[in-house]
């Protein structure tokens, strides 16, 4: 067995692991990257990239059939489901070289395509290699959670890891789970010609502001997606035509079943107990992302617990690189992390929801809103559904939700403000191009100041006084 000595050993070649490995190697650290499955991890192969590629095909089809009141006649799109999935494959292939073994070896990373396990607190074994490192970074990501539903193991079902392998269009797609994956796939498949039923045991899009998520769900229902909320899937069974899901209150039959109820962190193979790495559903780490029991070990992304997003993994990678390469006291925060559901309209959020803000700050919270239908660019393009909603405490935003066109792009303004502790005045003072959707954020900030300026008797008295003084 070959012994490999290095400064940094990264386990997992998803977005977080790749970022750590690239940064460490390019700044002079001897770096080993271990990956037992596919380079690029879930984001490239099963998550962000393929889902957004399929959503793009679905949006093109919907736009042909529903051009809006723009003087263009609707036409019935000729949807080729297999061709749409081929587009998904091309998108993955186009991005794959950036995450490839060859690229990282070119950066100076030693890449081992094996499954890793800890042998002790200082050593990892991968195939015929024994790696001794000064620091280990666990970046193993997560995989689809399979719930203990009666009969599920006896039927064929899809997850986000297998749905993009389909080439024949599902006649009727049943989806267990009304989170962002379930909702995105529901709308995309409906627009590509499938009948779709979503079954959610709680509230669909439950982590998001209910006022804003209701706008998304109403749009899906208008497009023909059946959304069943508050009903747990109790039993799954085969039928002559596919599969059926039984709940306490209903029976839903379809041709295909997608399970999208969440994700489970992938730690099983690592033998963490041998390395004295404390863990439950994820590695137990402090704000510095360092294991609380083995100071040589760090975790990033899904493996560190918390929010399961690609951009969080990349953010964690930056924190860890600062600590292990430069010894800086960097720590990870959560309060400024945005997320987005890429439905149409999009639903994006950062910070506290209104309910969370009221629980934490009580009467000190002010809620300001600005609707899309008062934005000139939205009016010009016919994309007037939606609003910006901001929770403000003492002049600073503590949370923002946007539902509407390009919400995922617009939320960056509020993420920037919250990351840097900016006040609402910084947003309202910003000059943005006209006409753009970004004016919505500026107008929302202006809505915070409007009552203070236009409804204040004191302001009016000061203005009248100034008018008598200035010649």
């Amino acid at each position: 067995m070959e012994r490999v000595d290095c400064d940094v050993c990264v386990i997992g070649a998803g977005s977080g692991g790749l970022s750590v490995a690239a940064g460490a190697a390019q700044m002079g650290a001897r770096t080993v990257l271990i990956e037992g499955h596919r380079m690029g991890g879930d984001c490239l192969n099963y998550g962000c990239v393929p889902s957004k590629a399929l959503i793009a095909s679905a949006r093109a089809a919907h736009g042909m059939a529903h051009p809006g009141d723009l003087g263009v006649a609707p036409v019935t799109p000729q949807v080729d489901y297999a061709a749409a999935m081929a587009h998904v494959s091309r998108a993955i292939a186009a991005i794959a070289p950036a995450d490839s073994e060859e690229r990282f070896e070119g950066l100076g990373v030693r890449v081992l395509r094996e499954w890793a396990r800890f042998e002790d607190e200082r050593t990892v074994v991968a195939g015929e290699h024994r790696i001794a490192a000064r620091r280990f970074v666990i970046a193993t990501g997560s995989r689809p959670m399979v719930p203990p539903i009666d009969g599920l193991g006896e039927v064929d079902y899809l997850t986000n890891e297998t749905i993009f392998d389909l080439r024949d269009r599902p006649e009727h797609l049943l989806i267990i789970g009304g989170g962002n994956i379930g909702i995105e796939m529901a709308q995309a498949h409906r627009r590509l010609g499938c009948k779709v039923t979503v079954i959610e045991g709680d509230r669909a899009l439950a982590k998001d502001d209910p006022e804003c998520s209701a706008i998304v769900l109403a749009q899906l229902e208008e497009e023909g997606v059946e959304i069943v909320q508050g009903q747990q899937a109790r039993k799954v069974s085969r039928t002559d035509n596919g599969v059926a899901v039984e709940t306490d209150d209903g029976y839903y039959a379809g041709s295909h079943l997608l399970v999208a109820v969440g994700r489970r962190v992938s730690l099983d193979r690592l033998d963490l107990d041998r390395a004295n790495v404390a863990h439950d559903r994820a590695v137990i780490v402090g704000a510095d992302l360092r294991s609380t029991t083995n100071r040589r070990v760090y975790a990033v992304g899904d493996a560190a617990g918390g929010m399961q997003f690609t951009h969080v993994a990349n953010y964690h990678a930056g924190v860890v690189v600062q600590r292990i390469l430069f010894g800086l006291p960097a720590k990870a925060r959560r309060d400024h992390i945005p997320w987005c559901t890429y439905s149409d309209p999009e639903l994006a959020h950062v910070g506290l929801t209104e309910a969370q803000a009221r629980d934490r700050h009580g009467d000190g919270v002010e809620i300001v809103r600005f609707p899309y239908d008062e934005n000139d660019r939205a009016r010009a393009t016919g994309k007037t559904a939606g609003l910006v909603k901001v929770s403000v405490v003492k002049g600073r935003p503590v949370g923002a939700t946007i539902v509407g066109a390009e919400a995922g792009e617009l939320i960056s303004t509020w993420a920037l403000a919250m990351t840097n502790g900016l006040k609402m005045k910084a947003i309202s003072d910003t000059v943005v191009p006209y006409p753009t959707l970004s004016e919505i954020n500026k107008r929302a900030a202006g809505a915070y100041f409007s009552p203070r300026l236009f409804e204040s008797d004191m302001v009016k008295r000061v203005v009248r006084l100034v008018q008598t003084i200035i010649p």
Side-chain angles (χ1 to χ4, degrees):
M1 183 171 288
E2 178 187 359
R3 177 182 172 91
V4 180
D5 293 294
C6 63
D7 298 309
V8 181
C9 176
V10 182
I11 305 172
S15 55
L18 292 175
S19 296
V20 172
Q26 291 180 95
M27 286 187 279
R30 297 172 301 161
T31 306
V32 171
L33 174 64
I34 306 173
E35 174 54 63
H37 193 34
R38 301 179 69 173
M39 297 289 290
D42 184 80
C43 179
L44 172 63
N45 298 292
Y46 313 116
C48 312
V49 172
S51 64
K52 304 317 168 277
L54 189 67
I55 287 169
S57 294
R59 187 165 294 189
H62 184 76
M64 295 175 67
H66 303 85
D69 191 16
L70 300 176
V72 178
V75 297
T76 301
Q78 301 301 307
V79 174
D80 185 333
Y81 187 82
M85 285 299 189
H87 162 64
V88 170
S89 297
R90 289 193 300 272
I92 295 172
I95 297 171
D99 295 349
S100 68
E101 180 178 346
E102 293 76 16
R103 175 173 179 258
F104 278 78
E105 288 179 337
L107 295 176
V109 179
R110 175 86 181 268
V111 181
L112 302 178
R113 302 301 298 277
E114 304 282 356
W115 294 107
R117 63 177 176 82
F118 280 93
E119 187 175 67
D120 55 43
E121 293 188 16
R122 298 167 176 253
T123 314
V124 160
V125 173
E128 296 301 314
H129 305 85
R130 180 176 284 111
I131 301 96
R134 296 184 65 253
R135 298 288 182 265
F136 295 93
V137 180
I138 299 173
T140 48
S142 61
R143 60 185 184 274
M145 183 184 297
V146 179
I149 300 174
D150 184 24
L152 185 59
E154 300 170 12
V155 303
D156 293 329
Y157 63 88
L158 301 162
T159 68
N160 73 293
E161 291 187 349
T162 56
I163 192 168
F164 301 109
D165 294 332
L166 292 178
R167 291 299 179 268
D168 295 326
R169 180 172 59 192
E171 179 181 345
H172 185 175
L173 180 63
L174 303 179
I175 301 176
I176 299 178
N180 60 323
I181 295 174
I183 292 301
E184 287 178 2
M185 289 298 96
Q187 187 176 45
H189 279 79
R190 179 63 190 138
R191 289 179 166 190
L192 292 171
C194 308
K195 186 176 180 181
V196 179
T197 299
V198 177
I199 301 166
E200 168 56 50
D202 189 8
R203 175 175 66 87
L205 297 173
K207 70 181 181 183
D208 287 287
D209 181 273
E211 176 186 3
C212 296
S213 63
I215 295 172
V216 174
L217 300 177
Q219 177 61 36
L220 265 69
E221 290 179 327
E222 183 178 321
E223 293 180 19
V225 176
E226 180 182 16
I227 301 176
V228 179
Q229 301 185 70
Q231 293 191 35
Q232 292 284 351
R234 300 298 184 190
K235 184 177 181 180
V236 175
S237 58
R238 293 178 181 172
T239 68
D240 292 341
N241 297 317
V243 65
V245 177
E246 296 179 46
T247 70
D248 291 333
D249 300 311
Y251 177 89
Y252 306 91
S255 61
H256 294 69
L257 173 63
L258 170 64
V259 177
V261 296
R263 301 187 61 77
R264 178 183 177 185
V265 177
S266 299
L267 299 177
D268 311 59
R269 299 174 182 266
L270 293 179
D271 285 344
L272 292 178
D273 293 337
R274 287 179 175 237
N276 188 32
V277 174
H279 61 95
D280 43 29
R281 65 178 187 86
V283 178
I284 298 175
V285 298
D288 57 0
L289 301 176
R290 201 174 199 176
S291 166
T292 57
T293 52
N294 183 341
R295 307 300 284 172
R296 291 178 176 269
V297 175
Y298 292 79
V300 300
D302 295 2
M307 299 178 176
Q308 296 180 332
F309 301 113
T310 295
H311 50 283
V312 172
N314 289 329
Y315 166 59
H316 283 176
V319 172
V320 167
V321 164
Q322 291 179 67
R323 294 196 66 90
I324 64 179
L325 297 187
F326 300 105
L328 297 175
K331 293 184 178 181
R333 297 167 49 192
R334 295 188 182 187
D335 61 328
H336 66 312
I337 301 295
W339 68 74
C340 183
T341 299
Y342 295 90
S343 50
D344 184 9
E346 292 181 356
L347 177 62
H349 179 79
V350 64
L352 304 176
T353 64
E354 177 183 0
Q356 292 168 337
R358 292 194 185 282
D359 285 344
R360 183 173 300 183
H361 299 284
D363 294 338
V365 177
E366 295 182 63
I367 306 299
V368 294
R369 296 174 175 82
F370 191 80
Y372 268 64
D373 62 11
E374 292 186 25
N375 173 265
D376 291 353
R377 182 63 179 272
R379 288 167 169 163
T381 58
K383 300 290 186 179
T384 56
L387 74 150
V388 177
K389 180 178 180 180
V390 187
S391 299
V392 187
V393 175
K394 297 180 179 179
R396 284 189 169 85
V398 297
T401 299
I402 305 177
V403 57
E406 305 297 335
E409 305 291 340
L410 296 178
I411 200 67
S412 297
T413 295
W414 300 104
L416 173 69
M418 293 178 61
T419 299
N420 295 283
L422 302 180
K423 290 190 172 184
M424 297 293 280
K425 188 175 187 299
I427 309 299
S428 65
D429 285 352
T430 301
V431 179
V432 299
Y434 173 87
T436 58
L437 292 177
S438 59
E439 289 183 286
I440 295 173
N441 286 330
K442 181 179 172 69
R443 294 290 298 276
Y448 173 74
F449 293 106
S450 293
R452 289 165 170 78
L453 293 175
F454 304 140
E455 300 174 16
S456 168
D457 291 337
M458 175 63 73
V459 170
K460 292 177 181 179
R461 286 196 296 270
V462 169
V463 169
R464 287 196 294 268
L465 176 61
V466 170
Q467 300 312 301
T468 64
I469 297 174
I470 298 177

